[in-house]
Amino acid sequence: MPVIHSATSFVKIGMGHSGFYSPGTKGRIRRDGLAVADTLLVARRMPQPDMTAQKTDQAEIDRLNDLTSRVARQRDRQAFVALFQHFAPRLKSFLLRAGMEAGAAEETIQDVMVTVWHRAESFDPAQAAVSTWIFAIARNRRIDRLRRDRRPTIDPNDPALVPDEADGSMETMLVEERAAELHRAIRELPPEQADLLRMAYFEDKAHSAIAAERQLPLGTVKSRLRLAVARLRKLMAGSLEGETA
Amino acid sequence: MTNTPHHHPDSDLLLAYAAGTLAEAPSLVVATHLALCPHCRAEVAGMEAIGGALLSADAGMAVSDGLLSDVLSRLDGPPPAEAPRRRLAPVGPAPVLPEPLRSYIGGDIDHIRWRRTIPGLHEANVKCSGGAVRMMRIRSGMGMPQHTHRGDEFTLVLAGGFSDDTGHYLRGDFAATDPSVDHRPVADDDGDCICIAFTDAPLRLTGRFLRWLNPLMRV
Ligand SMILES: [Zn+2]
């Protein structure tokens, strides 16, 4: 596959949002040093009907990244307030849909946002978008609060862990670019897939319970979710080939 | 080249794990597979990114006026309490059991308290909510009695291997069987096969919470 070096800065300038991130933001540098595949560049140059929406997505993702790095490095309270204003209403919606009382939801939002403040330094923009990081914190708090379960997780430093393969096709695209693609792809999902996907993430329900509520066979729910995830994963991989969904 | 597994959990199982809706017991088997499977770890990371994008795309709901100042007043205090971590037993350089399973056992494979259930089979229960999880040690070359399941069963191989009608399973491989499957696994003859297995407790029609109260029934 042909590789264009320095494609990143070209794309950024071409997209006209070089002003949205601080020069010091390390997350711009991809982990493996590879450039974006040329297919992506071509796709970017072609006129697209939702170009404006995608630019807005990208700008928003850059802004949230920047705010988080200001919280991490400068303990910037104004940046933190801006993060709160973005995420608190979304977290409330997320937690209420999971069946929490309003009071419990707001206590959980407090815990999530205070955790964001304390752990901002551990946030790595090369690994995930800010919204993904905060989603994971909120999901874990929700499990703790609603089910009092623990959530078994791997230990990245475990000597028994089988390490990642060196060539990750997932890594050839910048996290923020993937995130912007993802926003667009979610808007373009067929409504019946988008509906089930939201339920699967937001409502703390087993897929069988979703099937009962939507009066669909369990197999239909599973296959729609599988299709939705496969479609989104394919776009995130940033490649038109080689993805085994 | 490391050996990575060939048999993986279904994507809807990974999705339930990523979304946080999978109960602790099946999550333990899925997460232990993740420790051994970079492919599924990447899948789960992608699914978490979908969660983040859905969160971002949500219109949101108004929060109380005082919430921001409540949060700001807590910033100089301690971070929110975390669920207590289990005590980790020290391990050698190449443990057989990966995390998170090792913490549930309280150590590596030598910490498992096996009891013999039928000739050629030793088992040990793993304390976990949301279903029955047990370790199994099948003697080399042994066939298990033919059996069906009342609910879903997930099995993850940790040492040795076994075969059934659906394939050959080695370390890291994940096998899912549902009630329609009538299978007879046979352990490989080059060593004992050690697995972790989750079984959806039977009496599935009695509802989500009654199930937990059910005495653990053997398959
Ligand atoms: Zn896998």
Side-chain angles (χ1 to χ4, degrees):
Chain A
M1 184 196 289
V3 165
I4 298 174
H5 293 284
S6 323
T8 312
S9 54
F10 176 80
V11 171
K12 296 296 172 199
I13 293 160
M15 291 291 286
H17 43 66
S18 50
F20 285 106
Y21 55 93
S22 64
T25 307
K26 287 283 187 281
R28 298 269 132 210
I29 299 157
R30 74 195 67 232
R31 252 186 299 171
D32 56 9
L34 287 177
V36 181
D38 57 341
T39 46
L40 187 66
L41 278 177
V42 173
R44 284 278 159 81
R45 287 200 200 107
M46 292 194 311
Q48 286 177 12
D50 60 351
M51 211 51 180
T52 318
Q54 203 164 345
K55 253 193 208 172
T56 315
D57 289 340
Q58 187 72 63
E60 189 70 348
I61 289 160
D62 289 343
R63 186 179 74 93
L64 296 172
N65 251 340
D66 181 41
L67 291 172
T68 310
S69 80
R70 274 160 56 198
V71 170
R73 287 166 203 205
Q74 295 139 34
R75 308 269 79 195
D76 181 335
R77 282 183 191 239
Q78 262 183 322
F80 178 78
V81 169
L83 278 180
F84 176 94
Q85 278 157 351
H86 180 86
F87 282 107
R90 290 171 166 86
L91 289 169
K92 183 150 179 187
S93 173
F94 173 69
L95 296 166
L96 289 185
R97 283 189 71 178
M100 257 188 208
E101 307 280 339
E106 294 209 340
E107 281 171 33
T108 306
I109 296 170
Q110 283 197 35
D111 287 345
V112 171
M113 292 310 298
V114 174
T115 303
V116 165
W117 174 260
H118 284 284
R119 291 225 209 113
E121 277 174 67
S122 73
F123 170 69
D124 179 1
Q127 298 279 350
V130 179
S131 60
T132 302
W133 179 57
I134 293 183
F135 163 76
I137 295 172
R139 171 200 63 196
N140 296 351
R141 284 271 149 195
R142 185 182 79 179
I143 292 171
D144 195 46
R145 186 103 193 189
L146 284 179
R147 293 213 303 257
R148 307 228 164 266
D149 263 5
R150 67 179 62 240
R151 181 173 189 275
T153 53
I154 59 155
D155 171 2
N157 301 313
D158 181 8
L161 188 94
V162 175
D164 293 342
E165 282 123 355
D167 85 312
S169 61
M170 286 296 294
E171 266 72 62
T172 54
M173 204 169 161
L174 282 175
V175 166
E176 311 87 287
E177 286 170 336
R178 262 190 263 152
E181 283 284 314
L182 196 51
H183 283 246
R184 180 180 62 73
I186 283 174
R187 275 195 298 271
E188 290 172 3
L189 276 182
E192 72 278 6
Q193 287 179 21
D195 170 57
L196 293 182
L197 198 64
R198 283 203 176 80
M199 286 182 88
Y201 277 92
F202 279 41
E203 297 200 0
D204 197 35
K205 285 189 180 116
H207 298 168
S208 53
I210 294 174
E213 197 172 316
R214 284 289 182 264
Q215 300 187 307
L216 290 167
L218 179 57
T220 307
V221 169
K222 285 187 176 184
S223 66
R224 281 187 193 169
L225 286 172
R226 207 169 290 161
L227 279 171
V229 168
R231 180 189 285 240
L232 299 172
R233 292 278 294 126
K234 198 166 185 171
L235 279 158
M236 272 188 286
S239 160
L240 306 170
E241 49 176 14
E243 174 71 354
T244 52
Chain B
M1 208 176 88
T2 38
N3 280 327
T4 58
H6 291 96
H7 299 275
H8 308 279
D10 267 358
S11 95
D12 58 82
L13 202 53
L14 294 177
L15 179 62
Y17 177 76
T21 56
L22 195 64
E24 182 181 356
S27 291
L28 175 59
V29 183
V30 170
T32 304
H33 172 77
L34 293 180
L36 302 174
C37 184
H39 170 79
C40 288
R41 281 207 300 277
E43 286 298 308
V44 167
M47 288 165 173
E48 289 179 335
I50 295 172
L54 288 171
L55 182 67
S56 260
D58 197 86
M61 296 174 83
V63 296
S64 309
D65 290 341
L67 188 62
L68 175 59
S69 56
D70 288 348
V71 169
L72 291 175
S73 72
R74 283 180 58 187
L75 294 188
D76 296 321
E82 304 271 337
R85 287 221 144 232
R86 293 198 183 202
R87 191 177 46 83
L88 301 183
V91 285
V96 175
L97 306 180
E99 287 292 3
L101 178 57
R102 213 164 56 235
S103 294
Y104 279 79
I105 300 290
D108 200 11
I109 205 137
D110 51 328
H111 282 68
I112 300 173
R113 281 196 286 273
W114 298 107
R115 57 188 164 71
R116 204 181 76 143
T117 42
I118 54 170
L121 176 67
H122 285 76
E123 295 186 309
N125 290 329
V126 182
K127 207 168 167 288
C128 213
S129 73
V133 176
R134 65 194 198 284
M135 301 296 302
M136 298 168 74
R137 192 179 81 211
I138 310 163
R139 193 196 302 147
S140 179
M142 262 300 280
M144 289 291 93
Q146 191 146 11
H147 66 284
T148 53
H149 308 108
R150 302 278 301 272
D152 290 325
E153 185 176 79
F154 306 141
T155 307
L156 176 72
V157 179
L158 294 157
F162 74 82
S163 297
D164 67 10
D165 293 349
T166 64
H168 185 209
Y169 296 84
L170 293 167
R171 177 170 169 85
D173 282 329
F174 185 99
T177 39
D178 67 29
S180 65
V181 178
D182 185 359
H183 72 148
R184 185 176 186 278
V186 178
D188 290 359
D189 53 16
D190 58 354
D192 287 358
C193 175
I194 296 175
C195 303
I196 175 175
F198 157 78
T199 323
D200 206 353
L203 302 179
R204 309 176 81 199
L205 299 177
T206 55
R208 196 170 158 193
F209 292 103
L210 281 176
R211 263 195 283 154
W212 312 154
L213 303 173
N214 226 12
L216 296 186
M217 291 173 67
R218 317 302 314 166
V219 285

